[in-house]
Amino acid sequence: NAGVTQTPKFRVLKTGQSMTLLCAQDMNHEYMYWYRQDPGMGLRLIHYSVGEGTTAKGEVPDGYNVSRLKKQNFLLGLESAAPSQTSVYFCASSYSSFDEQFFGPGTRLTVL
Amino acid sequence: AQSVAQPEDQVNVAEGNPLTVKCTYSVSGNPYLFWYVQYPNRGLQFLLKYITGDNLVKGSYGFEAEFNKSQTSFHLKKPSALVSDSALYFCAVRDGGDYKLSFGAGTTVTVRA
C-alpha cells in the first residue's frame, strides 16, 4: 500500500495564480483532511471531508476550496494565490474520527 | 472550543536519559488525545492515543503517555532516549463531540550522544 500520497511535492507560484493539490489514499478511509504547517503554529486544519461528496470548513478555510468527488481523492484548490499561503500543506486520512490520522509527505508551496 | 498547549519549544536530553514532552489540553467534553512525531521533511507519524480506559498508554518506539484528567495533561515519556528520537513532536486533542483535531505548536526534541 502506498498510504497517503500528495502531488506535487514542491511548487512555486506567483501572486494571483491558481493551482490544485492532489491527495490520494488507498486505505479506503472515509475521513480526509487538509492542513497547513507554519513555523511555531503547529498544524491548522483548512478543510476536511467525512465521506465521498462531502466537505466542511476547518480552522483556516479562507482562500481555499476543496472537492471529494471520489472516496480516495481529496483536492485542495487555491483560486488566487497570496504570499500568506506560503506554507507546507499536509493531507491526512483516517478510518473514523476516533482513529489516528495517516499523513502524506507534504507539499511545500511558495507564493511570490 | 478545544485547544492544546505544549509549553516547551525545545527539550534537550542526553542519550540514555529519560525523555518527557509536556502537553496540556482544554475541551468541553471527553478528550481524545494523540501524539505524533515528525522527522525532517517528512509527514507526521502516529505514536499513540488515549480514547478511554487505562490512563497509561503505550505506543510505538518505546514511547508512553499518561492521561491525567485532574491536571488536563497528556505528557509523552520515554525511559531511555535515543539519538534517533530527535524530532518534532506534536500533541493533538479532539473533543468527543467534534470531528476535528487541534494540534499543539510542537516541541523539538534533541537527544545528544
Side-chain angles (χ1 to χ4, degrees):
Chain A
N1 289 349
V4 180
T5 58
Q6 293 183 232
T7 309
K9 289 184 170 51
F10 304 92
R11 186 71 185 268
V12 178
L13 291 179
K14 295 181 179 178
T15 296
Q17 288 185 319
S18 63
M19 78 164 294
T20 300
L21 282 68
L22 172 63
C23 176
Q25 53 94 4
D26 61 1
M27 295 173 282
N28 201 33
H29 285 168
E30 291 292 337
Y31 292 70
M32 296 188 74
Y33 315 82
W34 275 108
Y35 295 92
R36 59 177 289 171
Q37 183 180 23
D38 302 292
M41 301 187 73
L43 274 74
R44 293 181 291 168
L45 183 65
I46 304 171
H47 286 281
Y48 65 102
S49 169
V50 300
E52 181 179 319
T54 72
T55 63
K57 294 181 179 179
E59 184 183 354
V60 288
D62 293 342
Y64 305 95
N65 57 74
V66 288
S67 64
R68 183 111 181 258
L69 298 180
K70 293 183 179 180
K71 185 177 184 178
Q72 63 268 32
N73 294 337
F74 195 29
L75 278 64
L76 177 71
L78 286 72
E79 291 185 347
S80 180
S84 61
Q85 294 177 305
T86 293
S87 188
V88 181
Y89 291 86
F90 288 100
C91 176
S93 71
S94 64
Y95 183 72
S96 76
S97 60
F98 298 98
D99 294 306
E100 62 270 25
Q101 295 180 14
F102 291 80
F103 284 80
T107 295
R108 187 173 295 274
L109 175 65
T110 302
V111 183
L112 302 176
Chain B
Q2 58 197 38
S3 65
V4 176
Q6 294 181 240
E8 300 162 316
D9 292 336
Q10 289 196 336
V11 171
N12 298 305
V13 298
E15 189 172 35
N17 282 0
L19 170 62
T20 298
V21 186
K22 296 179 180 178
C23 171
T24 59
Y25 66 90
S26 175
V27 297
S28 56
N30 292 321
Y32 296 88
L33 294 151
F34 300 80
W35 275 103
Y36 289 85
V37 60
Q38 185 181 30
Y39 298 101
N41 300 313
R42 303 284 296 275
L44 278 68
Q45 297 178 27
F46 169 76
L47 281 178
L48 51 80
K49 66 181 177 183
Y50 172 84
I51 303 297
T52 186
D54 195 349
N55 290 343
L56 184 63
V57 179
K58 294 188 181 297
S60 306
Y61 312 119
F63 284 94
E64 59 188 29
E66 186 167 10
F67 170 64
N68 188 317
K69 188 173 183 178
S70 63
Q71 298 187 1
T72 62
S73 68
F74 190 57
H75 301 331
L76 181 70
K77 299 180 180 182
K78 186 171 184 179
S80 178
L82 301 172
V83 172
S84 57
D85 293 328
S86 298
L88 181 58
Y89 290 80
F90 290 100
C91 182
V93 67
R94 184 175 77 83
D95 196 317
D98 203 343
Y99 292 118
K100 306 182 295 293
L101 271 184
S102 293
F103 285 82
T107 298
T108 299
V109 171
T110 301
V111 182
R112 60 186 185 276

